[in-house]
Structure formats: C-alpha cells, structure tokens
Amino acid sequence: MSDGFVHWYEGDSNSDPAESLVGALEEAGLSLGNPSTGLISSITNGPDLWGEQVHTERDELVRSVAAVRLSGGGEVNFQFWLDGETDVFTRVRRPAGGVVTVVEFGLDGMDGAQQTQVVEAVRVAMGQRWAACLGFVIDRSGATEEEDWDGIVVDASARFTSWPDTLAMRAEIAAAHAELSTFPARQDPPLVVFERPV
C-alpha cells in the first residue's frame, strides 16, 4: 500500500475552467459520485471538523472549485472514486497571491494497479488541458512529500533533494534548476519531463 501522490499545476485558462477541470477528470475515468451509492462527497478541512465526509451536489462542488480558482488562496477537498470502495482524495488549491491552481491526488492505501489507474487518468485529463499545464509531480511512494513542490515547479524558488517518480515543469523553470542540468530529460512542450534516475 502507498501514501503516494500526484500534484498537477495549472495556469489560468478560459471558458468555465472549474467545470472543464472536473469534467476532464471524469472523462478520463475517475467517478465523482461513488459508483455504489451515487453520492458525491466533499471533505471538511476545518477549523471545527477535519476530514469529515459531507455529501454534496455536483453543481455545488464545481462552484466550490471555481471559487478556489478565482480566489487568492484557499482550497476545497473532495473525493473521486475508482470503484465503490476505493476513493481518491482530491484537493484543489490556489496558493495565496498566485495565478496557479494545484490539483492534488492522494494515492493512499492503493495497490500498484490502482495507482496506475489514477496516474493514467490524471495524465489523460492533463493532456486535454496541456496548454495550461505548468507541471506535475508523480510520487507513488510518497517519499518526497516534504519537498516544496510549489516552489520547485512554479517559480524555481526552492530546490529539491529527493526524486519523485516523474517531475515535469516549464522549460524556463527547469533551466533555473542547476540540480537538473546533469539529468536526461524529454521535451514534451511546453514541459520538460524528468524521470527518477536509475
């Protein structure tokens, strides 16, 4: 089992971005409603309750995602589902003062096949919105959880000391990371993609 994660960094995009973001993930194979019950759940993040499952409607959840994307900070937590028993904890947040949306997916408690299903779904959804993609981090083990990925991927204000499975960022950000200069990368414009060194 894993406590891994996927972080997806996206710049501002046009035309109903919250709806298209959620819709892209649904089209890629993640279910917003629990397949067994049909219920959609947001997850509380305080201050009075942490981690409580609260049933909501799709339109309300999309409005919450839109509110985060339009704000100068904040987050909304909710669940996607692989099946009736396996949820994908999802957080959409916007760092204070930024123009970047971060979508985080937890791989906690998943086996390898489930991890792959989530990673591939996120890759498909990113591909549908590739022009707005600023970067992503895939770490199936969660070993790099303490790294400042926002600072590493968004503006090169931070350096990293441990490798995730896959790291991608805009070319100008990659060029600012001297620690990446000796590692092979593949170009997937507008991103440069690094795989964990063997």
Side-chain angles (χ1 to χ4, degrees), residues 25-85:
L25 290 160
E26 290 177 310
E27 289 174 19
L30 299 180
S31 176
L32 196 55
N34 181 308
S36 296
T37 66
L39 295 174
I40 296 172
S41 299
S42 62
I43 305 296
T44 59
N45 61 346
D48 298 323
L49 293 173
W50 295 95
E52 295 291 325
Q53 193 179 54
V54 178
H55 299 309
T56 187
E57 298 296 324
R58 187 181 192 284
D59 289 348
E60 183 177 347
L61 181 60
V62 170
R63 282 194 298 271
S64 296
V65 172
V68 167
R69 289 181 62 98
L70 293 172
S71 72
E75 67 182 50
V76 58
N77 302 322
F78 56 98
Q79 292 169 301
F80 277 109
W81 296 86
L82 297 181
D83 55 46
E85 297 182 352

Side-chain angles (χ1 to χ4, degrees), residues 89-114:
F89 177 83
T90 305
R91 171 179 292 129
V92 177
R93 62 183 176 85
R94 192 168 179 103
V99 293
V100 175
T101 299
V102 187
V103 190
E104 301 178 358
F105 304 88
L107 304 177
D108 296 14
M110 295 182 188
D111 62 29
Q114 291 167 329

Side-chain angles (χ1 to χ4, degrees), residues 106-120:
L107 304 177
D108 296 14
M110 295 182 188
D111 62 29
Q114 291 167 329
Q115 286 182 334
T116 297
Q117 188 176 349
V118 174
V119 169
E120 289 309 309

Side-chain angles (χ1 to χ4, degrees), residues 116-146:
T116 297
Q117 188 176 349
V118 174
V119 169
E120 289 309 309
V122 174
R123 284 184 185 271
V124 168
M126 282 192 295
Q128 294 177 17
R129 303 163 65 83
W130 197 244
C133 189
L134 300 178
F136 60 89
V137 182
I138 301 170
D139 183 350
R140 292 172 183 249
S141 72
T144 67
E145 185 178 14
E146 299 304 316

